[in-house]
Amino acid sequence: MTARERIAGNVASYVDDRTGAAKWMKKNLTKVFPDHWSFMLGEIALYSFIILLLSGTFLTFWFDPSQREVVYEGGYAPLEGLKMSAAYASTLHISFEVRGGLLMRQIHHWAALIFMAAIVVHLLRVYFTGAFRKPREFNWIIGVGLLTLGIVEGFLGYSLPDDLLSGTGIRIAEAIIQALPLVGSYLAFFAFGGAFPGESFIPRIYTVHVLLLPGIFLALITVHLMLVWYQKHTQYPGPGRTEKNVVGYPLMPVYMAKAGGFFFIVFGITAFLGAVASINPIWLYGPYTPGQISAGSQPDWYMGWLDGLVRMSPPLETHAFGHTISWNILIPGLIVPGILFTGMALYPFIESWVTGDKREHHLLDRPRNAPNRTALGVMSLTFMIVALLNGGNDIIATNFHLTINQIMWFSRIAIFVLPPIAFIVTKRLCLSLQRADRDLVLHGRETGRLLRMPSGEFVEVHEPISPEKAWLLTQHEQNPPLALEEVDSRGVRRPGVIKNKIRARISKANAEAVPKVSVEDLKEIEHH
Amino acid sequence: MSMEIEAIKDPGLPAHVHRAADTDPKAAKKAERQVAILFLLSALGTILLISTFFFISEDTFIYLPVLGNTNAYQLFLGLGLAASLFFIGMGAIQWARTLMPDEEVVAERHEFRSPDEDRADFVATVKDRAGQAGLGRRSLIKRSLGLSLGLVGISPLLLLRDLGPLPKDDLTKTSWKAGTRLVTDPGDRPIRPEDLEVGAVAQTLPELASGEKRTLNNIGKDAVLLIRLRPEEFNLDAERLSWTHEGIIAFSKICSHMGCAVALYEQQTKHLLCPCHQSTFDVTRAAKVIFGPAARPLPQLAITIDADGYLVAKAPFTEPVGPSFWERSS
Ligand code: HEM
Ligand code: FES
């Protein structure tokens, strides 16, 4: 035993003497984590959150969340002598006078973009591999919550500096609140402490941005990770991997070193971006005033799809009985996003209702083997991408010499037409990939070598694939659709016939598949 | 699952292949050196950061390809920080990959569902304890508790009452009155019709009485755009035409969609465009919406000139300016 090992042993005993945690610690230190690049997406989100906490705390030391009017006398000459809010002036101060201040602002903003991107891609990974299935529905819902709060937190963050761009964003948020039927103008006046813009909003959202939401994030992330820990990670299918085991590396030391190292890499890359890539140069926009605007106003990308939906909305308003309902704001700003996010949160339950599958799943699906789910995912993505592109319609118009009118009409039609097309194409694609898998198992891999037969014709030599590969391509379950009888055993019609019909329909579409290769199929091939 | 079809067998975990560093002490030494070099690179990064802090002045600008004119201080501070963090990470990962055990281990999963017996026991306990509380039997308690909890929920609403005043007529009224002069923004100078050439646009605000201060709240409702056309270019009804003066027409600058400043005027087409969601308004037809999500024209302000020849409002706005709200009647 080396001296070092003895010390490690002593520390472990010291801790156990005081906590009795020996058994628990041993179990957890040797806990096994499967390894795959796509499992790092959630980690990136976690690490960027930590970076946000660190860089954000740095910013709070100088940021003054006040809309009190001040006259600027700082180091940035073009704005010298201008009236502005203390919030804007202090952000200029951080950018120009605090050493490393601009770097930290840029790190904070880049970390926010990476955080949101990591959450979204992580969510897609979970969706397309079916990792949300029982028993992991709670974590799926927590994830949707984190995504939603992340959008809000990011919006509040870039609203804080009170520059011309962020003030315009707040203006739009106020209009959405104000558009709510019945309570809209009251809520807006309560939120803003009176009429827009007032002097209360930024101090208030500051508390939410640095205290309330980060607290909720911390709580949700903790539960999220505890569940991952307790339920153990899912794993991709492959030889030796089953529903009953986890194959991977132990937490200590391999996984600790890898995860810890990865944190530093994410932080390093974020710092690199903060150093070389300018982001949100608020001094170029000028201070906010409601009478001005900068052309090409763009929110951060995670808000862009909302903006795109608002932009493509038709000019619908109802005026009746002395009241106004702004459908052009409510539908794209609240109703559609509400339906999308609720649908997303409920998806695990919808799928298990359709398949009737109430079992636990720890082996991930290859997306092609769940064609309906994959197609639905690509369909939703297509919807989001059309919306996001329309959010940048002015930029696209200038870059590609189109008129905004053309892009708007394209988007208005595409948002209805492209998603269903995406569904059909993806489903087809999945089924043909299944067919390709089947061919590969049955006939082997094409080698590119040609062989001349005695008859004179050429055939390509096929090489059988390895048993590991054959297993990978055939390990998935193929379940028949639900058999929902319309009458029960006593010949009485069951209640909810229509509901059952719909369910049977979807279930049937869901079960559509190219039959996977069985041992019989292989034997048959050998006979020829 | 139909069982007649026999599935292909799982060949099991493939045999573990050793890395060079596992068997060859030389390769292991080399890996160790690589890890050390990475950690040293991190140390160099911190040294870059420290030297920047002490030796580069904060207002040094250097010209770099791609980045352009760059503040050297912020740049090297950032690059130093980035390197110091990044290479710690690379070192740790290289260490784990080359020198720590790389044999995959198998752990068993446990089913989450408790054994039936435990579960039945648990359910029974819950039922039993709930019964002990007697909520089901004592409906008086149940109802009164429901009432008090419901009422407690109201108190935060009251306690938050002072978040803001009630809207009253704040959303419907602006500072414009009959006779208020239009003054330039910025500059606060009154405007004569001859100051505006045909085709010109001016951003204006209501003139302040002496001692009054203009807040952002005022600007958010009062901002008005003046545009001068040739009178024959208008396509207005008689009333709206009478609201113009010698080809000068005035609109609220606050977008009727979501309140952005409608700042872009296209002289050729005589269209006003809001950069937020591209609602487009036709100036010749009283700012009728011709494109985009806005559902209402920009409110028009009736203008004329006063005794001194300066442009003034003939009357207040006849409708609320800015985005819609529930109480808005048109
Ligand atoms: C999930 C978490 C967070 C997100 C997505 C986020 C996002 C943002 C964004 C996009 C900005 C605008 C930065 C700019 O370009 O100027 C910002 C500003 C700010 N954030 Fe955060 N943030 C998060 C967490 C935090 C935390 C935890 C703190 C403090 C403890 C914090 C403190 C600040 C401060 C003080 C500012 C204003 C200063 C400035 O803009 O220079 N943030 N945030
Ligand atoms: S605010 Fe002007 S178009 Fe939306």
Side-chain angles (χ1 to χ4, degrees), chain A residues 48-49 52-61 63 87 90-92 94-95 101 105-106 108-113 115-116 149-161 163 206 209-211 213-214 217 279-282 300 302:
Chain A
S48 347
F49 178 68
L52 284 164
L53 285 177
L54 295 173
S55 55
T57 305
F58 178 97
L59 295 176
T60 59
F61 296 151
F63 181 70
S90 68
T91 312
L92 291 172
I94 296 176
S95 307
R105 266 197 61 227
Q106 304 201 138
H108 193 69
H109 206 133
W110 275 114
L113 298 188
F115 177 68
M116 293 307 297
L149 290 180
I151 295 176
V152 177
E153 175 76 347
F155 173 74
L156 297 184
Y158 75 68
S159 295
L160 287 175
D163 55 276
Y206 182 67
H209 182 80
V210 305
L211 180 72
L213 284 181
F217 270 112
I279 187 162
N280 203 16
I282 46 114
D300 275 359
Y302 47 84

Side-chain angles (χ1 to χ4, degrees), chain B residues 255 257-260 274 276-279 293:
Chain B
C255 189
H257 180 226
M258 298 173 96
C260 290
C274 176
C276 277
H277 314 104
Q278 287 104 26
S279 291

